[in-house]
Amino acid sequence: MNKLINIEQAIDLIKDGDTIFVGGFLGVGSPHRLIDALVKRGTKNLILICNDTGTPEVGVGKLVVNKQFRKIIASHIGTNKETGRQMMEGETEVELVPQGTLIEQIRSAGYGLGGVLTPTGLGTEYAKGKQIINVDGKDYLLEKPLFADVAIIAATKADKFGNLFYHGATRNFNNITSSAAKITIAEVEELVEIGDIDPDIVHTPGIFVEYLVNGGK
Amino acid sequence: MNKLINIEQAIDLIKDGDTIFVGGFLGVGSPHRLIDALVKRGTKNLILICNDTGTPEVGVGKLVVNKQFRKIIASHIGTNKETGRQMMEGETEVELVPQGTLIEQIRSAGYGLGGVLTPTGLGTEYAKGKQIINVDGKDYLLEKPLFADVAIIAATKADKFGNLFYHGATRNFNNITSSAAKITIAEVEELVEIGDIDPDIVHTPGIFVEYLVNGGK
Amino acid sequence: MDVKSFIAKRVAREFKDGNLVNLGIGLPTMVANYVPENINVIFQSENGFIGLGPAPAPEQLDPAITNAGGIPVTVKPGAAFFDSATSFGIIRGGHVDYTVLGALQVDEKGNIANYMIPGKMVPGMGGAMDLLTGAKKVIVAMEHTAKGSLKILKKCNLPLTAINAVDLIVTEMGVIEVTPEGLVLKEINPEYTVEQVQAATEATLIIKGKPEIMKLD
Amino acid sequence: MDVKSFIAKRVAREFKDGNLVNLGIGLPTMVANYVPENINVIFQSENGFIGLGPAPAPEQLDPAITNAGGIPVTVKPGAAFFDSATSFGIIRGGHVDYTVLGALQVDEKGNIANYMIPGKMVPGMGGAMDLLTGAKKVIVAMEHTAKGSLKILKKCNLPLTAINAVDLIVTEMGVIEVTPEGLVLKEINPEYTVEQVQAATEATLIIKGKPEIMKLD
């Protein structure tokens, strides 16, 4: 059960056409080395599910600039003009989802739910085409699960079983996406021995993490 | 914003007829001093929402023995014969809910969802009367939010703002129920100053906790 | 005092001791600078924490601690970090007392448009739809017009971020409350007449007696 | 070796290195004692952790670390504690490889009844419905009959805990696989004949060639 692989082995796991989760919020808590290696590899026709598309120079935005996505599902693309350009010119399909809905959709996938009901977006254009379900007199949108083939995430610390610990605001989407991908690869700043993370403070149980990449600080 | 109150003040906050969440799993992680004080006070006609009903001598089971509930919503009552007796003899209404469904119903209430869709219980008597929703060809039960007036929970450590930390398996329902009650009262083993719990390891943000009771070990 | 600071200072007067507040990017962020010293307001950052503090001194800078705009910040004692699911549970679940956002348009039903101009600017809703749906009170903080073009309308014509969401509009001209009857001019900047404010507002302002003078202290 | 240990030992042979396994109360708990030494199996405890270890020595006893039956246990290095929402996310989300439970009745459709006898015993489903729905493989570990009364039926007549859920039935008489065609007797305890096993089974056993001899090592 050795989960530690090198970056090239990690990138081998992402195939043309795959749907990928990428952790991070405007690049904070993103797996930067994995992203750089994926840019270098040039894997194409990917579907991205991510909170945002970073900037052209930071985080997942580099993959946008390199035109590796055929579709992007995100809550915000305003910090990366290239995403907007590709959308406007019809090069890349972009689906915008409210941030709180997006994370619940991913959680539904990872946690075995058929979806959740949320009031967010009711009455707006976002709601068009979505099923409305009335619960005790109140309307909600039915939001379905979102799965991925591979999640690439970042963590501050990991033990060799894959238990993850995040510092500061880097937890964001990393924690939940690990539960909803067939393969989760965590790029970690610090790798410690099994038993070196107090079980009370593990943020992501190691069972959600298939592979570890030692990313350094 | 002084959240620290004594046990009598805490029990004053629970009124006859209230719906209460009680944290704990077979008494592990239950607020034992608050329960004892509530037994002594004898507040009546309560609705209980709890994982289980403990045993006649341990945890929330003492409140069952004292006949303080008109209704009990729980996943398991088998360790407390008195709950079964009250149910069989029609003294107390008992609604049994799968454990994973129960915690999602409480989370839905606290997290602003209209409910979740789960496959758990499909095709069984539990599903009778529940709305079935088909998502992409698969059936799910619609499970609605469960709110409470007061949550009484237990934590290992708290700072004076109400940030909570749990040791071991005591987290169980305590963490989530705090989000779904109008008033949450946490009985804590150790009370520390604000700033004395590392923000990275807080399990329950203090905004979910209205009152603290110093319970001691 | 410049116009933006004036608006931010007036918004800050709405808060009460212990309130949990989320501030949007831009002008709303400035509100934090004007919270009265005699009250304790707690700020939430939707990327994953409660207890947002001021910008760091160079030696305090921690790349893992940024606000929702990706800008380095600090956290105050008693802070707690969490993942995006918890963050938006707090938001959607009604645990945020005030959200302060800018707007492209607001109308007399409390509808708000602030996330896209079709064909021109499509940044995405980020967390705005959830905040508008979930926060107990929504304050729009913005300049009264956009270089003369009206923003407070009878009916928004840009895609809505949320319906019936706005409670209060604070501009450099006055303070407008959204009521079931329409927009009530509650306070006015003495540098303007009621007629001037109405001329800068497409919706008909309801005047109940004489509007109070906008107070900043 | 007594009957229960015999069954537990055979069940343990199903596991592969790295499997995540949840063991029910009673006989299934004994399975942990027989995991082959050359593989590493990880146990989940639905009250909130992964990494369940053996019973504590007196000096190791920690009242916060108990199994789902409330019995003190230990955790192994690499363990992680979490709340009930995460615990059942792991269960419902298909992350548990095997769940091992007892049963009152099982039938040829893989239906299982193990949580109540109406009017007699209504303990509640606890986490069983979620485990039966979510685990990748469900193993029923039980004595073949209850003091002579049949338990492996054509059709369960007690209220079901889950439909089409069971994959494998391990008893002291043999190993039975639930297939779309019905129950296949895969292995037999050489102390019994096929006729004896069939006589103790209401459902018709499908025999494909000669059943293998039950092996425990």
Side-chain angles (χ1 to χ4, degrees), chain D residues 87-161:
Chain D
S87 190
F88 280 85
I90 291 167
I91 289 169
R92 199 192 307 99
H95 307 285
V96 171
D97 295 295
Y98 288 95
T99 187
V100 185
L101 307 93
L104 297 165
Q105 299 178 337
V106 190
D107 72 23
E108 56 190 22
K109 300 283 186 205
N111 298 322
I112 174 168
N114 71 349
Y115 87 107
M116 68 179 288
I117 303 174
K120 197 169 163 193
M121 181 202 75
V122 190
M125 64 292 278
M129 281 192 179
D130 300 283
L131 281 159
L132 287 163
T133 306
K136 283 182 199 150
K137 292 269 181 191
V138 171
I139 300 178
V140 168
M142 62 177 191
E143 294 183 60
H144 205 97
T145 61
K147 296 170 190 160
S149 101
L150 305 191
K151 299 171 72 178
I152 305 175
L153 308 177
K154 287 186 191 301
K155 193 170 189 305
C156 296
N157 51 49
L158 289 173
L160 298 179
T161 318

Side-chain angles (χ1 to χ4, degrees), chain B residues 32-51:
Chain B
H32 293 287
R33 290 179 193 212
L34 285 169
I35 288 170
D36 286 345
L38 188 57
V39 168
K40 203 172 153 201
R41 181 71 64 91
T43 314
K44 292 287 186 196
N45 295 313
L46 300 171
I47 296 178
L48 172 70
I49 303 174
C50 190
N51 176 62

Side-chain angles (χ1 to χ4, degrees), chain C residues 87-133:
Chain C
S87 191
F88 280 84
I90 291 168
I91 289 169
R92 200 192 306 100
H95 306 285
V96 171
D97 294 295
Y98 288 95
T99 187
V100 184
L101 308 93
L104 297 166
Q105 299 179 335
V106 190
D107 71 22
E108 55 190 24
K109 300 282 187 206
N111 297 322
I112 174 170
N114 71 350
Y115 88 106
M116 68 178 289
I117 303 173
K120 198 170 162 190
M121 180 203 77
V122 189
M125 66 293 278
M129 280 191 180
D130 299 284
L131 281 159
L132 287 162
T133 307

Side-chain angles (χ1 to χ4, degrees), chain B residues 123-145:
Chain B
T124 72
E125 285 193 16
Y126 170 73
K128 281 189 182 155
K130 290 192 179 280
Q131 192 176 345
I132 292 175
I133 291 179
N134 190 287
V135 177
D136 297 335
K138 233 187 128 190
D139 280 343
Y140 296 92
L141 299 182
L142 168 59
E143 299 284 3
K144 298 180 185 179

Side-chain angles (χ1 to χ4, degrees), chain B residues 5-37:
Chain B
I5 59 175
N6 66 39
I7 287 197
E8 289 307 311
Q9 290 171 316
I11 299 305
D12 288 345
L13 295 166
I14 304 173
K15 310 297 183 194
D16 276 12
D18 273 358
T19 297
I20 63 171
F21 293 132
V22 181
F25 191 110
L26 294 176
V28 179
S30 287
H32 293 287
R33 290 179 193 212
L34 285 169
I35 288 170
D36 286 345

Side-chain angles (χ1 to χ4, degrees), chain B:
Chain B
M1 240 183 6
N2 177 24
K3 294 184 174 180
L4 190 63
I5 59 175
N6 66 39
I7 287 197
E8 289 307 311
Q9 290 171 316
I11 299 305
D12 288 345
L13 295 166
I14 304 173
K15 310 297 183 194
D16 276 12
D18 273 358
T19 297
I20 63 171
F21 293 132
V22 181
F25 191 110
L26 294 176
V28 179
S30 287
H32 293 287
R33 290 179 193 212
L34 285 169
I35 288 170
D36 286 345
L38 188 57
V39 168
K40 203 172 153 201
R41 181 71 64 91
T43 314
K44 292 287 186 196
N45 295 313
L46 300 171
I47 296 178
L48 172 70
I49 303 174
C50 190
N51 176 62
D52 55 77
T53 55
T55 73
E57 297 82 24
V58 175
V60 74
K62 294 177 181 176
L63 291 157
V64 176
V65 171
N66 204 34
K67 301 185 179 176
Q68 291 177 256
F69 300 117
R70 65 185 149 108
K71 182 174 178 180
I72 292 169
I73 300 173
S75 80
H76 199 269
I77 60 168
T79 51
N80 189 335
K81 282 186 182 168
E82 174 61 11
T83 314
R85 189 200 62 75
Q86 289 179 19
M87 177 178 61
M88 296 293 186
E89 301 188 9
E91 290 176 22
T92 306
E93 185 185 350
V94 174
E95 191 179 322
L96 294 167
V97 180
Q99 204 168 121
T101 297
L102 186 59
I103 193 72
E104 285 296 320
Q105 290 186 283
I106 298 168
R107 183 181 183 273
S108 288
Y111 280 30
L113 300 170
V116 296
L117 306 184
T118 165
T120 303
L122 263 178
T124 72
E125 285 193 16
Y126 170 73
K128 281 189 182 155
K130 290 192 179 280
Q131 192 176 345
I132 292 175
I133 291 179
N134 190 287
V135 177
D136 297 335
K138 233 187 128 190
D139 280 343
Y140 296 92
L141 299 182
L142 168 59
E143 299 284 3
K144 298 180 185 179
L146 275 177
F147 294 87
D149 297 298
V150 182
I152 56 174
I153 65 172
T156 308
K157 195 191 271 200
D159 69 19
K160 288 180 175 169
F161 179 60
N163 288 311
L164 304 181
F165 175 83
Y166 308 89
H167 168 55
T170 64
R171 212 176 313 172
N172 52 66
F173 276 55
N174 287 301
N175 184 40
I176 297 292
T177 50
S178 73
S179 72
K182 286 179 207 143
I183 298 171
T184 292
I185 308 164
E187 173 180 329
V188 303
E189 289 184 10
E190 188 190 356
L191 189 68
V192 300
E193 294 302 319
I194 289 174
D196 284 356
I197 302 181
D198 180 344
D200 283 333
I201 70 165
V202 169
H203 293 132
T204 303
I207 59 137
F208 287 137
V209 179
E210 278 70 32
Y211 297 103
L212 295 165
V213 167
N214 202 333
K217 293 239 177 197

Side-chain angles (χ1 to χ4, degrees), chain A residues 111 156-157 163-168 170-171 175-176 178 197-206 208, chain B residues 171 199-203, chain C residues 81-83, chain D residues 80-82 86:
Chain A
Y111 280 32
T156 308
K157 194 191 272 199
N163 288 311
L164 305 182
F165 175 83
Y166 308 90
H167 169 54
T170 64
R171 211 175 314 172
N175 184 40
I176 298 292
S178 71
I197 301 181
D198 180 344
D200 284 332
I201 70 166
V202 169
H203 293 133
T204 304
F208 287 136
Chain B
R171 212 176 313 172
D200 283 333
I201 70 165
V202 169
H203 293 132
Chain C
F81 292 106
F82 32 75
D83 65 20
Chain D
F81 292 106
F82 32 75
T86 302

